Amino acid sequence: MMERKDKIVRTLDAMEHPENFTKEELDALLSDEECVRICRDLLDSREALARRYATAPDVEAEWQSFKHRQGLCQASGQPKKRSRMLYTGIALSVAASVILFLLLRLSVPEEYTVFRADLEAQVVSMETKNGVHTLHIPRGMSQLLVLPDSSRVWLNAESSLQYPESFEGMKRREVYLKGEGYFEVTKDAAHPFMVKTDALETQVLGTSFNVKAYSGNDTQVTLLEGSVKVSDRHHKELLLRPGEHTDGQLRKTSVENCTDYRAWIDGQFYFDDVELVEIMRELGRWYNVDIVFTHKEIMQERLHFQAERSDSLQDILELLNCMQRVKARMEKGKVVVGV
């Protein structure tokens, strides 16, 4: 009894001060099969121990169930002192079960998947319906498209553009974008050019600009030349001039070098003070691979990072690791990012 109590006390100390124990000592604490079995018996009977709003376990009921399974039922008339010792033992076992459960949780890091690979074949495809084309660019590719009015659009990985076979007879030249596209629009003052996304509409006469709209919550418009008028679903409008940038909430900012926003069409990854989670999603989109974080707090780490899109994924991860801010590795076919 005392030996078991001493081990529980030692486990408590390990939980409170793990830095005082070696990995071997921690492993030894978890190697006691009987203790682990007790832990599992009690946790199975009260799954609520792992829930946030769980009620306290009925120790008496759990003890009776435990005695029945283990064949330790007391004979009637047993001394009260022995009964108290048994109740003390089960109380300590409850404490041990919780501690061991937490230690087991500590030994398996949390995983936060922020991007998933697509197992389907990645190919460029075109759909046409009622005179409207939809071009789909898969992950790991980008492509230049020339529109019927000679405007040029570079589409990034996992993007699609919907556009008519001809703009003739239309007051406005409208296209619909999902993903990211860089536009060089042919001037035609009589027929404004409109890029629609789920969150914003961008109207131009003749200009160069980049639109990123992989999701409604992450929509961005960056103007390189000319001028554009950006509006949201509530008809709020914002005028952009060269070197200006706006997000999905129409918050305008100035950028030092707006040509960085078209680096991707020149075959580069370029991130200037960008959150790590967005950098890793972009890498996942290009290399079509699962991205998993082991620590939630490092997702918001901001980095300046540049690399060639022609580099292998392993080369990219080595470059990231050289910055000594995070650790990224390939594990079982996915990228795992930790500290």
Side-chain angles (χ1 to χ4, degrees), residues 10 34 87 95 134 154 170 329:
R10 186 167 173 78
E34 181 183 358
Y87 280 111
T134 303
W154 285 260
M170 297 181 178
R329 67 185 186 279

Side-chain angles (χ1 to χ4, degrees), residues 27-38:
D27 290 342
L29 290 172
L30 297 175
S31 65
D32 188 329
E33 294 182 0
E34 181 183 358
C35 194
V36 171
R37 186 170 61 251
I38 292 171

Side-chain angles (χ1 to χ4, degrees), residues 153-317:
V153 185
W154 285 260
L155 294 173
N156 205 348
E158 198 175 26
S159 300
S160 65
L161 189 75
Q162 190 176 92
Y163 62 98
E165 291 180 340
S166 172
F167 291 119
E168 291 184 10
M170 297 181 178
K171 293 181 178 180
R172 297 193 303 183
R173 297 170 288 166
E174 294 184 353
V175 299
Y176 180 78
L177 172 71
K178 284 189 176 180
E180 185 169 14
Y182 176 77
F183 294 80
E184 290 185 352
V185 177
T186 299
K187 293 183 179 181
D188 184 351
H191 301 89
F193 191 94
M194 176 78 73
V195 179
K196 294 185 174 182
T197 68
D198 286 344
L200 299 176
E201 294 183 355
T202 304
Q203 180 176 329
V204 302
L205 294 178
T207 191
S208 300
F209 60 101
N210 194 79
V211 178
K212 184 176 182 181
Y214 283 105
S215 71
N217 296 327
D218 182 29
T219 302
Q220 306 170 19
V221 179
T222 307
L223 181 63
L224 283 77
E225 297 177 2
S227 63
V228 298
K229 181 174 66 177
V230 184
S231 58
D232 62 14
R233 301 177 191 174
H234 306 290
H235 307 293
K236 180 182 176 182
E237 296 181 349
L238 179 69
L239 183 66
L240 291 184
R241 292 181 173 82
E244 292 183 335
H245 169 92
T246 186
D247 60 14
Q249 283 71 50
L250 295 185
R251 293 175 294 199
K252 182 166 62 174
T253 57
S254 297
V255 293
E256 291 184 4
N257 190 355
C258 57
T259 58
D260 294 339
Y261 287 85
R262 53 157 287 164
W264 62 269
I265 73 171
D266 296 324
Q268 293 185 328
F269 294 112
Y270 186 89
F271 305 99
D272 186 11
D273 194 34
V274 176
E275 288 187 349
L276 181 61
V277 65
E278 294 305 321
I279 294 175
M280 297 313 299
R281 281 175 179 151
E282 183 73 15
L283 296 179
R285 187 175 293 116
W286 185 249
Y287 294 102
N288 192 27
V289 64
D290 285 355
I291 305 293
V292 176
F293 281 81
T294 59
H295 296 77
K296 193 172 185 179
E297 61 274 11
I298 65 171
M299 294 185 193
Q300 281 69 51
E301 183 83 15
R302 304 188 77 90
L303 300 178
H304 179 98
F305 179 70
Q306 185 172 6
E308 296 294 328
R309 289 157 71 98
S310 59
D311 287 347
S312 69
L313 177 57
Q314 189 59 47
D315 288 341
I316 297 293
L317 298 183

Side-chain angles (χ1 to χ4, degrees), residues 52-172:
R52 183 174 182 184
Y53 298 109
T55 57
D58 186 339
V59 176
E60 172 65 23
E62 298 304 328
W63 172 237
Q64 294 300 330
S65 176
F66 175 73
K67 285 192 300 181
H68 177 73
R69 290 194 300 272
Q70 299 297 325
L72 297 178
C73 293
Q74 299 183 55
S76 60
Q78 193 168 13
K80 293 183 178 180
K81 182 177 179 181
R82 175 62 176 166
S83 178
R84 286 195 299 270
M85 290 179 65
L86 289 173
Y87 280 111
T88 301
I90 190 59
L92 290 172
S93 294
V94 171
S97 71
V98 174
I99 293 165
L100 288 172
F101 174 73
L102 291 173
L103 286 173
L104 288 169
R105 288 282 303 273
L106 288 174
S107 64
V108 180
E110 294 275 1
E111 285 195 350
Y112 304 91
T113 301
V114 300
F115 192 87
R116 292 193 180 278
D118 186 349
L119 301 182
E120 297 292 331
Q122 300 297 295
V123 295
V124 176
S125 65
M126 174 74 84
E127 300 174 7
T128 302
K129 184 177 181 180
N130 299 326
V132 177
H133 297 312
T134 303
L135 177 64
H136 299 276
I137 307 301
R139 295 176 179 183
M141 300 184 194
S142 60
Q143 183 167 313
L144 168 63
L145 170 68
V146 179
L147 296 175
D149 65 343
S150 299
S151 295
R152 300 198 298 173
V153 185
W154 285 260
L155 294 173
N156 205 348
E158 198 175 26
S159 300
S160 65
L161 189 75
Q162 190 176 92
Y163 62 98
E165 291 180 340
S166 172
F167 291 119
E168 291 184 10
M170 297 181 178
K171 293 181 178 180
R172 297 193 303 183

